[in-house]
Amino acid sequence: MELLENQVLKKDLENNIKLIKIILDKCSDVIYREFVFAQNEQIKLALIYTDGLADKGQVSDQIMRALALEVPMAVPGRVITKAQALEFIKERGLCIHQIKETNKVGEVVHAILSGDTVLLVDGHDTAIINGARGWESRPITDPEAEPTVRGPRESFVESIRVNTSLLRRKIKSPKLKIESFRIGRLSATDVAIAYIDGVANDQVVKEVKKRLERIKIDAILETGYIEELIEDEPWSPFPTINHTEKPDRVAAMLLEGRVAIFVDGTPFVLTVPSLLVEFLHASEDYYERFIFTSAVRVIRYLAAFASLILPSLYIAIVSYHHELLPTALLLSVAAQRERVPYPAFFEVFSMELVFEVLREAGIRLPRPIGQAISIVGALVLGDSAVRAGFVAEATIIVVAFTGISSFTFHYSASISFRLLRFFLMILSGTLGLFGLTAGVSAICIHLCGLRSFGVPYLSPVVPTAYSDLKDVVLRAPWWAMLTNPRSVLGNNKKREAYGLKPTPPESGK
Amino acid sequence: MQVKEEGRVNSEQIFFLVLNFLLASAFIMIPSTVTGKAGKDGWAAILIATGAGSLLSMLYTALCIRFSGRTIIQFAQEIMGKIPGKILGIIFVWFALHLGALVLRNFGDFMVISLMPSTPLIVFNAVVMLIAVMAVYRGIEVLCHFNLMLVPVILSSMAVIIIFSFTIHDFDAANLLPLFESGFSRVLKTSLIPLTFPFGESVLFLMIFPCMSVPRDTKKIMVGAILAAALIMAVITAETVAVFGSNAKNLMYSTHSMIRCIELAQIFERTDAITIVIWILSGVIKISVCFYAFVKGCAQLFALKDYRPIVVPSGIIMTALSILVYENVIEQTEFASKIWPLYSLVFELLLPLMLITFDSVKKVF
């Protein structure tokens, strides 16, 4: 089979078709259409394409009709010999926007299976590949995983060409480079990297290409495959590669000097290098006014912190350091906990597990039932657990708040926070505040050592890049972001002109 | 593969590492130790020690600049020749190990006494050592970054403690008067304690300074960190005296007891558990620095390419030593105030002084 694909085409049409039929044996979706050239019936032609991937309208109107009927009308009376046929068809016969020639059988087969339409001409050992793809695809819709109130509503779809076009529409500069790869022995998936020349760090671009070329795998079905195959620290619970389904977010990432990796067949696009802070930022942060954004971001950071340590802090305080609570609160918590038969650790740990089950059920269930689950789960289960005396009210409050907090920021980072939350709960359940502090220290040390494509994961906070701090917890107004807020990533230091701060015209004149 | 560590850390990171190293255990231990000996004039002893400590740090920085890019283990062999140099190196490495174990022990004792009396000491020592092992295993750069993460937390909590101690009900600045009641010579003698702990302990940074990207800054860093640390410690010491009066010298951990007294609007009460957090965080840094000096020193003494294979066994040795060094807390207090000041001077003053003298003499002849 491999040998057949390495062959080149022969002059004889019958032979070529036979060859392709052997390779594409038992592929019932491939269609072979043989017909004759209108001007000279001696010249036999064949179209080969995959049903469902090629645009049938284009194939029948722009290729078949033109070649089998209309060519004589364009050049009446001219006689075309077999030898001239290929040149003539290319120049006058095909009303297709993009054509390519090849004489390799392997390329022909790949073109057919990718949705292109291959035209074979009798007496020529060259095939014409017509770019007449057209298949059913999902329309561009609202981003499901990253909804926004203000900002573009479009999201990527499963087709890589549509996705790169969405990006190109945002950045109409020749400096936006989109380079293609093909990965996967069986899937032959189209993969593209996009970056802005002169903004992205050349070293990072080179490194991304190097890591992509290293991949030898049978199939790539989602960006997740690539993510796990190219990340810096495979054992880390933290994601060192970001993904998004919003074209505006990808554009913003590229403008800050990152590299995007598109994969055909998925609406998610990877961006590298990525920093921890960007998981706490939403694209909307840059569209809303900076005062509001900064306030919201403070809340988001607090929520992220709470989602990591709040349950463990509660366990530590309730079971080891009651004295930390103000007296009135302490009495109230003690009264609630009096009825509960379990230690605080067991109580919180099991309720967190219950919450995780509810969350998972909410995602997996068909959407109409999702509502019911949240009502049954959150209200009924929580309320009856308290009334039955299994858990204290305070525990429910802590667990519910922690759960909600973990949804205030990027989903993939919140997964790692949720996992580590359980690790911290065990530590604070055994050693109290000491264990919690030790656990947080261990996480911090781990984070300090993490790198994403050579960039420290915690930058610009640690190591501190002072000029980049304008876009971490607070966001500076746009007229003050003179330099790139992520200068650690690329080499685009200067961003905008000086003195863009708007001032009202002087009054009283 | 060992990443080259030289020239990878910037001056700001080293400054905060030194500052945190100086404040770590001293923030809790120094006020009770100096008031124990000099009474209510303890704060003055700290200030006097600052001057001497700065001089001492000049000695270290002079060595560091003269032999930039090389650690004390390396230049000791250059100055004294191979065998004597190695012997001095072993002495220095022993100091790092011993100091690390002592700090670890202080730390564990504090946890057991003030927080969890029925938990065995080894649990605390082992957990803290584990964190230090993690940090040191990933290299000096990660240690500095980790420290940089902690600095805002530690410094702001110290600021909160210092400011809100003024609001404690019993706070009375008159407790500090009269000055030098027990005689100035007593204060002068006491100043040997803060000079050797924590200022002189910064001799360990002779293992870390070669990692700096700008070696010239060491002088500024050392003096700046010593002044800042001394100021914080002196203020805290004065505050404990102002709050507890003549009782201050009888308290085991007077800083901790003072923080217990802080009350704010009935929301923040008995917040001494917060001290534990600071204590763990900065304690980890101090132990990590000692530990780093130890493993890096051993690796260089025995000409290992990489120090990482010996990190875990060394961590076990340091934990074991921390359990063995004292029988109980009383012994520790005795050791800290009577033996340590003289014992540590061998490493903190004698060793560097000898090296620099020999080097200067060699240059003359």
Side-chain angles (χ1 to χ4, degrees):
Chain A
M1 206 65 172
E2 303 269 297
L3 286 174
L4 289 177
E5 286 188 23
N6 289 337
Q7 285 187 12
V8 289
L9 292 169
K10 306 281 173 345
K11 295 235 176 208
D12 182 30
L13 180 70
E14 297 297 322
N15 214 341
N16 287 340
I17 293 178
K18 206 181 280 170
L19 187 63
I20 292 170
K21 274 190 175 165
I22 293 171
I23 296 174
L24 295 174
D25 185 30
K26 292 175 192 157
C27 295
S28 60
D29 52 345
V30 178
I31 290 176
Y32 305 84
R33 176 73 166 87
E34 290 168 58
F35 57 105
V36 291
F37 189 46
Q39 226 141 5
N40 182 348
E41 295 190 358
Q42 299 298 311
I43 304 174
K44 281 190 266 175
L45 303 172
L47 279 176
I48 311 171
Y49 58 92
T50 309
D51 196 13
L53 293 184
D55 184 346
K56 276 176 213 150
Q58 276 194 47
V59 172
S60 45
D61 278 354
Q62 267 98 298
I63 305 175
M64 285 255 329
R65 183 197 287 271
L67 295 176
L69 295 173
E70 289 170 352
V71 176
M73 283 190 269
V75 200
R78 186 163 160 198
V79 181
I80 306 293
T81 62
K82 236 182 192 182
Q84 294 168 317
L86 186 80
E87 245 350 80
F88 182 79
I89 287 171
K90 231 170 55 188
E91 277 165 16
R92 306 239 35 177
L94 294 170
C95 310
I96 291 293
H97 67 106
Q98 184 197 9
I99 60 168
K100 221 167 71 185
E101 285 174 69
T102 184
N103 62 349
K104 295 193 186 77
V105 176
E107 257 178 64
V108 168
V109 169
H110 178 76
I112 293 168
L113 296 177
S114 308
D116 289 326
T117 304
V118 171
L119 177 69
L120 296 175
V121 182
D122 193 21
H124 292 271
D125 55 1
T126 308
I128 300 175
I129 300 171
N130 300 281
R133 298 183 188 186
W135 52 72
E136 293 303 317
S137 86
R138 199 167 57 91
I140 296 170
T141 51
D142 280 17
E144 292 264 321
E146 298 161 79
T148 48
V149 177
R150 180 171 178 180
R153 290 285 162 76
E154 59 193 4
S155 73
F156 287 124
V157 294
E158 279 77 4
S159 156
I160 191 168
R161 269 297 143 240
V162 177
N163 291 352
T164 53
S165 73
L166 285 171
L167 178 65
R168 181 66 80 178
R169 259 162 52 192
K170 304 266 179 213
I171 304 170
K172 304 175 196 71
S173 161
K175 292 201 160 159
L176 171 63
K177 309 291 182 200
I178 301 176
E179 294 183 39
S180 295
F181 298 81
R182 194 180 294 157
I183 304 179
R185 205 170 57 245
L186 293 178
S187 70
T189 311
D190 286 318
V191 173
I193 65 166
Y195 57 94
I196 300 180
D197 199 21
V199 177
N201 188 335
D202 299 335
Q203 291 298 321
V204 173
V205 175
K206 217 182 277 171
E207 183 65 28
V208 172
K209 283 188 207 162
K210 206 178 93 193
R211 292 192 194 179
L212 284 178
E213 276 155 9
R214 227 193 92 237
I215 299 177
K216 301 264 182 299
I217 194 171
D218 57 345
I220 298 283
L221 296 183
E222 218 280 330
T223 41
Y225 287 44
I226 291 188
E227 182 177 348
E228 285 194 22
L229 287 165
I230 66 171
E231 66 190 343
D232 288 60
E233 193 92 23
W235 295 105
S236 173
F238 289 92
T240 48
I241 295 177
N242 200 351
H243 61 79
T244 179
E245 53 170 351
K246 283 169 64 67
D248 55 319
R249 197 167 166 134
V250 171
M253 298 275 192
L254 296 191
L255 290 168
E256 286 177 355
R258 290 189 185 83
V259 180
I261 303 170
F262 290 79
V263 173
D264 197 23
T266 173
F268 290 97
V269 173
L270 301 177
T271 54
V272 292
S274 55
L275 315 175
L276 183 64
V277 291
E278 75 191 45
F279 291 99
L280 292 154
H281 296 172
S283 59
E284 212 171 328
D285 289 356
Y286 300 92
Y287 309 144
E288 284 285 358
R289 294 188 60 239
F290 73 96
I291 296 180
F292 176 66
T293 294
S294 303
V296 168
R297 269 198 189 167
V298 170
I299 290 180
R300 211 180 289 144
Y301 274 82
L302 290 177
F305 199 60
S307 83
L308 182 64
I309 67 159
L310 190 64
S312 347
L313 197 62
Y314 174 75
I315 294 173
I317 289 178
V318 167
S319 30
Y320 293 94
H321 314 282
H322 330 96
E323 76 276 5
L324 272 176
L325 293 174
T327 316
L329 182 61
L330 177 63
L331 290 177
S332 134
V333 171
Q336 292 168 21
R337 298 227 356 103
E338 195 185 24
R339 294 176 292 126
V340 181
Y342 308 113
F345 165 69
F346 183 77
E347 195 187 337
V348 179
F349 199 87
S350 51
M351 283 316 282
E352 285 287 347
L353 279 180
V354 168
F355 175 80
E356 290 299 318
V357 170
L358 281 176
R359 184 197 56 79
E360 186 62 17
I363 297 175
R364 300 289 152 237
L365 270 174
R367 202 148 300 163
I369 316 175
Q371 288 284 330
I373 278 294
S374 53
I375 292 168
V376 171
L379 295 177
V380 180
L381 209 62
D383 192 43
S384 14
V386 169
R387 277 206 224 158
F390 293 162
V391 287
E393 286 94 332
T395 310
I396 297 284
I397 295 171
V398 166
V399 171
F401 180 73
T402 317
I404 293 168
S405 298
S406 65
F407 295 122
T408 53
F409 53 101
H410 203 282
Y411 189 68
S412 63
S414 81
I415 294 173
S416 42
F417 275 58
R418 287 209 304 270
L419 279 176
L420 292 171
R421 182 198 292 163
F422 286 94
F423 158 72
L424 290 181
M425 275 192 272
I426 295 171
L427 278 177
S428 73
T430 44
L431 287 168
L433 213 50
F434 169 77
L436 176 59
T437 317
V440 172
S441 303
I443 293 173
C444 288
I445 291 171
H446 172 72
L447 282 173
C448 286
L450 270 188
R451 275 168 184 275
S452 174
F453 286 80
V455 181
Y457 195 49
L458 286 179
S459 60
V461 183
V462 174
T464 320
Y466 287 105
S467 66
D468 288 10
L469 291 180
K470 58 180 172 271
D471 185 22
V472 177
V473 181
L474 305 178
R475 176 175 78 75
W478 273 112
W479 43 261
M481 293 228 224
L482 300 174
T483 53
N484 195 323
R486 303 265 184 278
S487 55
V488 283
L489 295 172
N491 33 27
N492 178 30
K493 297 282 184 224
K494 192 167 154 52
R495 179 153 200 162
E496 65 187 14
Y498 181 72
L500 289 182
K501 180 184 174 189
T503 43
E506 281 184 43
S507 56
K509 285 195 177 165
Chain B
M1 195 194 77
Q2 167 80 344
V3 185
K4 198 171 170 290
E5 293 203 300
E6 278 70 34
R8 289 178 68 91
V9 188
N10 69 27
S11 310
E12 177 200 32
Q13 292 171 1
I14 291 286
F15 171 77
F16 284 116
L17 193 65
V18 179
L19 181 63
N20 216 346
F21 175 86
L22 294 178
L23 280 174
S25 40
F27 186 72
I28 307 280
M29 309 280 297
I30 274 291
S32 36
T33 322
V34 290
T35 45
K37 203 153 183 206
K40 57 189 164 217
D41 297 321
W43 57 273
I46 295 174
L47 291 184
I48 293 168
T50 313
S54 305
L55 285 179
L56 209 53
S57 74
M58 291 294 178
L59 178 62
Y60 307 153
T61 52
L63 272 174
C64 167
I65 291 167
R66 204 177 278 191
F67 300 96
S68 72
R70 280 158 291 173
T71 66
I72 187 168
I73 306 289
Q74 290 164 326
F75 64 67
Q77 293 176 39
E78 266 175 55
I79 299 170
M80 310 291 289
K82 196 157 182 194
I83 302 297
K86 284 225 163 164
I87 292 170
L88 288 186
I90 290 172
I91 292 174
F92 184 81
V93 161
W94 159 253
F95 180 64
L97 175 67
H98 193 192
L99 178 60
L102 293 181
V103 178
L104 197 55
R105 176 58 183 253
N106 282 344
F107 178 85
D109 276 340
F110 172 77
M111 293 300 298
V112 171
I113 289 171
S114 61
L115 205 75
M116 292 177 160
S118 42
T119 309
L121 180 67
I122 181 91
V123 174
F124 298 110
N125 288 10
V127 170
V128 171
M129 197 63 226
L130 194 67
I131 299 171
V133 164
M134 272 181 73
V136 170
Y137 192 84
R138 308 209 83 172
I140 188 71
E141 214 182 350
V142 168
L143 181 58
C144 285
H145 289 178
F146 177 49
N147 180 59
L148 215 54
M149 275 180 96
L150 303 184
V151 157
V153 181
I154 293 172
L155 288 188
S156 58
S157 338
M158 284 183 183
V160 167
I161 291 168
I162 287 175
I163 291 166
F164 288 112
S165 294
F166 287 111
T167 66
I168 293 174
H169 188 67
D170 292 335
F171 187 92
D172 186 4
N175 281 340
L176 287 164
L177 296 173
L179 292 176
F180 305 121
E181 195 185 17
S182 52
F184 191 72
S185 63
R186 198 179 171 83
V187 175
L188 210 56
K189 257 185 233 159
T190 313
S191 71
L192 194 60
I193 296 177
L195 175 67
T196 52
F197 161 68
F199 300 136
E201 289 168 358
S202 56
V203 69
L204 291 183
F205 277 86
L206 284 176
M207 293 300 297
I208 291 177
F209 284 140
C211 300
M212 276 172 62
S213 49
V214 189
R216 273 178 295 108
D217 286 352
T218 41
K219 207 169 272 180
K220 267 187 285 180
I221 289 171
M222 286 300 290
V223 175
I226 286 181
L227 286 180
L231 197 67
I232 293 174
M233 285 189 296
V235 171
I236 282 285
T237 310
E239 279 183 337
T240 56
V241 175
V243 170
F244 297 113
S246 51
N247 276 332
K249 61 172 175 284
N250 303 326
L251 293 166
M252 180 76 209
Y253 303 109
S254 54
T255 316
H256 182 243
S257 311
M258 183 177 73
I259 295 164
R260 264 188 115 82
C261 301
I262 297 177
E263 256 177 52
L264 261 185
Q266 301 200 318
I267 298 173
F268 292 103
E269 292 176 301
R270 307 172 290 265
T271 48
D272 51 301
I274 310 287
T275 9
I276 297 158
V277 174
I278 305 171
W279 173 249
I280 297 168
L281 294 177
S282 51
V284 164
I285 293 295
K286 183 158 185 177
I287 292 161
S288 302
V289 169
C290 298
F291 188 54
Y292 177 82
F294 175 65
V295 287
K296 180 101 180 185
C298 284
Q300 289 185 344
L301 267 182
F302 302 113
L304 303 180
K305 270 196 222 93
D306 186 356
Y307 68 73
R308 273 184 281 183
I310 59 170
V311 166
V312 175
S314 307
I316 295 171
I317 292 174
M318 198 179 263
T319 315
L321 190 64
S322 77
I323 304 291
L324 296 173
V325 275
Y326 307 127
E327 281 291 312
N328 51 41
V329 188
I330 311 299
E331 198 184 324
Q332 181 240 310
T333 325
E334 282 293 294
F335 182 84
S337 59
K338 298 223 171 95
I339 301 169
W340 179 258
L342 296 172
Y343 167 75
S344 64
L345 272 184
V346 175
F347 312 95
E348 294 170 359
L349 180 65
L350 229 55
L351 186 67
L353 198 63
M354 190 169 91
L355 285 174
I356 206 158
T357 324
F358 263 84
D359 187 54
S360 308
V361 170
K362 248 170 76 178
K363 268 192 191 137
V364 173
F365 295 106

